[in-house]
Amino acid sequence: MTVPLPPLPPTGEDEHYRPGGRSIADIVDAEHRELCGLVDRLTGADPRPEGGLEVLTAALSRHLSAEEQYLLPAVRAARPEDAGRVDRALDADRELLAALTELTPDRLPDVAQRVRRHVAAVGELVRDLREVATAEELIRLGNRLEIAEEAAPTRPHPGTPATPPWNKIVEPAVGVVDKLRDAVAGRPTRLSDLTERPPA
């Protein structure tokens, strides 16, 4: 194995058992397309979807948290020569989360630009990971990423730890608080929560 992962539980299958699920590379690529699509909708001509800034903030917060827990450590472990690029991605994530804490329509163009840079930089790391990780490793990482996203914060917390093991402990705890706040406030956090404004 090129990516260190906890062992699978016994399955009773043969040594060629392949876990079910989606590859982390496929998941991240799809999420990047969705994030870019949402940014394009929000920065394009009106009508903008109601709740778009809240959904963008929540989607990015979840996405960055899960990437920092599983994708970036996997790249660092599998490709030590890319450690500098991983560090730069982590620094850019901190800056993006900080920008999200003050997201307003006026600040949206800056956040949109940061999102596009994130997609380009992390997309390259994903391509590099595909070259060295096995299909099984990518699927197992994908399963972990999806679980991490469900538990992740829905609000930006740039001061929380960005690397394992602490982010795997802190982020889910912060996520519980965020989800309670979202429920009380009725805050939209998913793309499916968006509604288009009627034309003026």
Side-chain angles (χ1 to χ4, degrees):
M1 292 186 93
T2 57
V3 179
L5 292 169
L8 285 169
T11 61
E13 302 288 336
D14 63 30
E15 63 185 41
H16 301 293
Y17 170 73
R18 184 175 179 198
R22 296 167 56 206
S23 157
I24 192 171
D26 293 342
I27 295 168
V28 170
D29 287 347
E31 289 181 1
H32 283 172
R33 286 192 299 276
E34 287 178 351
L35 289 169
C36 286
L38 179 55
V39 162
D40 290 345
R41 286 172 67 189
L42 294 174
T43 57
D46 281 336
R48 292 180 183 168
E50 290 286 352
L53 296 184
E54 291 88 352
V55 170
L56 178 63
T57 298
L60 275 168
S61 297
R62 283 191 304 266
H63 175 79
L64 296 176
S65 174
E67 280 187 348
E68 290 172 359
Q69 289 180 54
Y70 289 102
L71 175 66
L72 297 180
V75 172
R76 189 189 299 274
R79 295 181 57 96
E81 67 273 21
D82 286 338
R85 292 168 60 203
V86 170
D87 290 339
R88 287 190 293 278
L90 287 168
D91 290 342
D93 286 358
R94 296 293 102 197
E95 293 172 7
L96 177 51
L97 286 169
L100 285 175
T101 62
E102 301 175 351
L103 181 57
T104 62
D106 291 343
R107 297 178 185 223
L108 181 58
D110 173 62
V111 169
Q113 188 176 42
R114 290 177 186 276
V115 169
R116 292 182 182 109
R117 284 198 302 259
H118 166 85
V119 167
V122 175
E124 289 180 6
L125 293 174
V126 168
R127 284 191 291 275
D128 291 346
L129 182 62
R130 279 186 196 266
E131 292 177 3
V132 296
T134 66
E136 178 193 25
E137 290 168 336
L138 293 173
I139 291 170
R140 291 174 64 192
L141 284 166
N143 292 337
R144 285 171 172 78
L145 183 94
E146 289 183 317
I147 292 168
E149 279 194 349
E150 286 304 313
T154 59
R155 297 167 190 263
H157 300 280
T160 58
T163 55
W166 293 110
N167 63 349
K168 291 182 180 182
I169 297 168
V170 173
E171 297 278 303
V174 173
V176 169
V177 175
D178 283 356
K179 288 173 183 65
L180 287 172
R181 291 176 63 195
D182 295 340
V184 169
R187 176 176 178 251
T189 61
R190 302 270 179 191
L191 287 172
S192 59
D193 296 335
L194 292 179
T195 56
E196 296 293 336
R197 288 183 181 147

